[in-house]
Amino acid sequence: MPEGTPRGDFETGLTTDDQLDLRTWLRLLTCANMIEGEVRAKLRTAFDITIARFDLLAQLDRADPTDRGLTMGELSRRLMVTNGNVTALIDRLVGEKLVVRRADPDDRRAQIIELTPNGRRAFAKMSQAHASWITGLFDGVDRKNLEALYRNLAELKTSLKADSDMEGH
Amino acid sequence: MPEGTPRGDFETGLTTDDQLDLRTWLRLLTCANMIEGEVRAKLRTAFDITIARFDLLAQLDRADPTDRGLTMGELSRRLMVTNGNVTALIDRLVGEKLVVRRADPDDRRAQIIELTPNGRRAFAKMSQAHASWITGLFDGVDRKNLEALYRNLAELKTSLKADSDMEGH
DNA sequence: TATTGTTATACTCTATAACTATA
DNA sequence: TATAGTTATAGAGTATAACAATA
């Protein structure tokens, strides 16, 4: 057998390359879960907010400020969550006076969601705290490794995106 | 200002290094969510099982076969899920005849959970399908990048673990 | 007293489908 | 007909606390 050829695993039929895929994924998942668990707990105790609502606020905050907010459909696409779920999240955020629904002057079916001034201030605080928690968690990680990780994840992400883009075709 | 010194971001007070932490985390999360979403949907349609139950079966399958299964508490720790939740997962898996509860001869408070022969066979199929889905998703990723990713995640993981281990002290 | 596991409860997220108002 | 959003519902994950049996 030529050197470098992936050798099969007799028990599972997996090649060593398949195992690299799988192990990388499991490791990625473990890291993501550990960090997400921390962040979830801290967001809840510090601000009584969930990750889903935090992410929604982040999308609104990030949206082009010269733009007029985002529609429900836009939020649904960006958060990769179904329409009905966005409605529930927005209901909650409206109740907390962090966002408002406005009628779209151009399309009477559509609603435009905007951060209230209060919501923008609140999110700024959350966002800063969030960043500092992450900094704390990544404290011990070698900067060179982290930069490499950042670059390598970019390729994984675009590769995954290419996959999902092909699904409909 | 000396070269290489992280420069502050006047608007947020974040240094460029903080931003690397944050951006790496967001990228990591996006990748994990994209893959996890795929896997969740496929596990459900192919085997009518959730990721939580799949992970639980994986822990039992992975446990030293010369060992006698795992206790509820062991599962709770390994899955990083609370005790009550493990009970519910096991209830469901027992109902599907994939695992059994056995009394611990050494500790009458404890239960030992084991895969049934049927459960072991079923998990083998799921596991193979899972591996092939991951291989498919990682198909377009350069092998060198993937190896680098695998190594870099190792350091992140141990660094995170060190953090969480310190919490109790 | 501490630990193992169960039960009960509340909240949230996710997914689907039926429905309305409008385009 | 198709699209934007809402409503209703079911299933699942997560967290907490009270509890019984046992160590």
Side-chain angles (χ1 to χ4, degrees):
Chain A
M1 187 184 284
E3 223 176 318
T5 299
R7 291 190 307 175
D9 171 330
F10 290 106
E11 294 208 346
T12 62
L14 294 174
T15 64
T16 49
D17 252 27
D18 291 343
Q19 289 181 4
L20 178 61
D21 291 336
L22 193 54
R23 286 180 184 172
T24 303
W25 159 233
L26 292 176
R27 202 168 267 187
L28 181 71
L29 183 62
T30 302
C31 290
N33 283 343
M34 289 175 83
I35 300 171
E36 195 169 11
E38 285 285 314
V39 169
R40 176 174 37 231
K42 294 195 182 212
L43 277 178
R44 188 163 49 83
T45 60
F47 301 108
D48 191 27
I49 200 166
T50 62
I51 287 185
R53 297 205 300 274
F54 177 76
D55 286 347
L56 200 159
L57 293 177
Q59 286 295 342
L60 291 174
D61 189 69
R62 184 183 315 164
D64 183 354
T66 68
D67 242 34
R68 347 144 287 173
L70 296 174
T71 62
M72 299 294 283
E74 253 309 293
L75 283 168
S76 170
R77 275 186 291 282
R78 296 196 187 191
L79 296 168
M80 296 187 280
V81 165
T82 58
N83 236 322
N85 295 326
V86 174
T87 297
L89 293 173
I90 292 294
D91 283 349
R92 175 73 182 252
L93 291 170
V94 167
E96 287 166 351
K97 302 198 193 306
L98 299 177
V99 309
V100 286
R101 286 184 166 95
R102 276 202 310 118
D104 184 334
D106 301 334
D107 182 342
R108 290 168 59 200
R109 293 171 307 179
Q111 304 255 15
I112 296 175
I113 312 300
E114 277 179 338
L115 284 171
T116 62
N118 183 36
R120 197 173 289 277
R121 276 193 301 273
F123 178 73
K125 280 190 196 161
M126 295 179 201
S127 176
Q128 264 192 292
H130 174 254
S132 74
W133 298 331
I134 299 299
T135 301
L137 285 171
F138 280 62
D139 201 26
V141 183
D142 177 77
R143 293 292 109 179
K144 288 265 175 275
N145 273 7
L146 199 55
E147 282 168 24
L149 195 53
Y150 184 65
R151 283 195 306 273
N152 290 329
L153 285 170
E155 198 215 329
L156 176 58
K157 187 171 157 188
T158 53
S159 174
L160 290 172
K161 196 156 180 341
D163 270 10
S164 73
D165 286 348
M166 277 198 318
E167 269 167 32
H169 308 313
Chain B
M1 185 183 286
E3 223 175 317
T5 300
R7 290 192 305 176
D9 171 329
F10 290 106
E11 295 207 347
T12 63
L14 294 174
T15 65
T16 49
D17 252 26
D18 290 342
Q19 289 181 5
L20 179 60
D21 291 337
L22 193 55
R23 286 180 184 172
T24 303
W25 159 233
L26 292 176
R27 202 168 268 189
L28 180 71
L29 183 62
T30 302
C31 289
N33 283 343
M34 289 174 83
I35 300 171
E36 195 169 10
E38 285 285 315
V39 169
R40 175 173 36 228
K42 294 196 183 211
L43 276 178
R44 189 163 49 83
T45 60
F47 301 108
D48 192 27
I49 201 167
T50 62
I51 286 184
R53 297 205 300 274
F54 177 77
D55 286 348
L56 199 159
L57 293 177
Q59 287 295 342
L60 292 174
D61 189 70
R62 183 183 315 163
D64 183 355
T66 67
D67 242 34
R68 348 144 287 173
L70 296 173
T71 63
M72 299 294 284
E74 253 308 293
L75 283 168
S76 169
R77 276 187 291 282
R78 295 196 188 191
L79 296 168
M80 295 187 280
V81 165
T82 59
N83 236 323
N85 295 327
V86 174
T87 297
L89 293 174
I90 291 293
D91 283 349
R92 174 75 183 250
L93 290 170
V94 167
E96 288 166 351
K97 302 198 192 305
L98 298 177
V99 309
V100 286
R101 286 184 166 95
R102 275 201 312 118
D104 185 335
D106 301 335
D107 183 342
R108 290 168 58 200
R109 293 171 307 180
Q111 305 256 13
I112 295 174
I113 311 301
E114 277 180 336
L115 284 172
T116 62
N118 182 36
R120 198 173 288 278
R121 275 193 301 274
F123 178 72
K125 280 190 198 163
M126 295 178 202
S127 177
Q128 265 193 292
H130 174 254
S132 74
W133 298 332
I134 299 300
T135 301
L137 285 171
F138 280 62
D139 200 26
V141 182
D142 178 78
R143 293 293 109 177
K144 289 263 175 276
N145 272 9
L146 199 56
E147 282 167 24
L149 195 53
Y150 184 66
R151 283 194 305 273
N152 289 329
L153 285 170
E155 199 214 330
L156 176 58
K157 187 172 156 186
T158 54
S159 174
L160 291 172
K161 195 156 180 347
D163 271 10
S164 72
D165 286 349
M166 277 198 320
E167 270 166 31
H169 309 312

